[in-house]
Amino acid sequence: RAAGLLGAVPLVANSPHPESDYWSAPNLLLDELAPHLQWATLIITHWHGDVHQSHRAISQAVEIGTRPFRMRRRVLQCEVPSSSDQSFMRAFMPNLFVPVQAEDAQRKLAAVDCYPHEAAPGRNPASLQRWLQVRGEQVGSELAEAFTGQKLIARTFTERVAAISTWTRLSATPVVSIDGVEGAGGALP
């Protein structure tokens, strides 16, 4: 029901393995996730330092499955309030913030409310609302979610622009490098 509120389709493993088998053998989980990783262009998974062992196992399976020699995918790791912030050794350090509209926040809060058996201090709709507000304040927005970009793949492209004497904005930015100029009466310095 929670996934439906968010417009998502749950990916539930139909496995004979108990959940605890994945904690020490993420390849078992990878075998079940691999077909779904194949078609995805952006994968959002749990943060690798999350204290919940199942969250870590999923993150590790995604990491293994998206190694550059296997398949190159953009991977973001999300925080799970009351789980990502409980680690003794590591801290979730977001480098991507996504503003959240009020109506989307309401759907997220309703989804959390689908799990009353999971409710605890820090794990309830009111806590999530505060978390969205804090992340929003960090980036000058009313509400936001935070992610850490683990694999952000730069794509190469060619753009041809007419030779003129004024500055021209390129369609794809930011630009890492300009490797050549053709037909402009000279070469790059």
Side-chain angles (χ1 to χ4, degrees):
R1 182 173 156 239
L5 290 170
L6 299 172
V9 176
L11 174 61
V12 179
N14 294 319
S15 173
H17 304 287
E19 184 177 340
S20 59
D21 283 359
Y22 298 128
W23 304 342
S24 59
N27 281 333
L28 293 174
L29 186 56
L30 175 59
D31 292 343
E32 297 179 29
L33 290 178
H36 304 284
L37 298 176
Q38 289 291 330
W39 59 263
T41 56
L42 172 66
I43 299 163
I44 300 175
T45 188
H46 302 84
W47 177 56
H48 65 268
D50 196 296
V51 296
H52 193 291
Q53 60 271 26
S54 294
H55 296 177
R56 281 195 316 271
I58 291 169
S59 180
Q60 189 174 12
V62 169
E63 178 183 8
I64 293 167
T66 60
R67 287 179 179 160
F69 64 86
R70 287 183 185 233
M71 72 175 75
R72 295 191 297 173
R73 299 291 186 269
R74 292 178 295 160
V75 178
L76 298 177
Q77 292 183 336
C78 66
E79 65 184 331
V80 179
S82 82
S83 191
S84 297
D85 61 340
Q86 301 294 312
S87 177
F88 285 152
M89 302 297 280
R90 305 174 218 174
F92 180 79
M93 302 291 289
N95 58 9
L96 174 67
F97 293 82
V98 178
V100 175
Q101 300 299 316
E103 59 272 10
D104 293 327
Q106 289 306 312
R107 283 196 292 276
K108 291 173 185 294
L109 299 176
V112 169
D113 216 16
C114 290
Y115 298 94
H117 58 283
E118 293 283 340
R123 288 192 307 205
N124 55 56
S127 295
L128 177 58
Q129 177 71 32
R130 286 190 300 275
W131 204 265
L132 292 170
Q133 290 169 334
V134 166
R135 290 304 191 193
E137 289 173 1
Q138 291 175 329
V139 293
S141 179
E142 185 177 333
L143 306 168
E145 288 182 301
F147 300 87
T148 178
Q150 295 302 316
K151 292 185 182 175
L152 304 175
I153 301 168
R155 304 287 185 210
T156 57
F157 68 96
T158 300
E159 182 170 350
R160 301 207 184 279
V161 179
I164 56 176
S165 61
T166 59
W167 285 100
T168 301
R169 180 174 295 279
L170 300 176
S171 62
T173 58
V175 174
V176 176
S177 69
I178 298 175
D179 298 325
V181 176
E182 298 172 8
L188 287 173

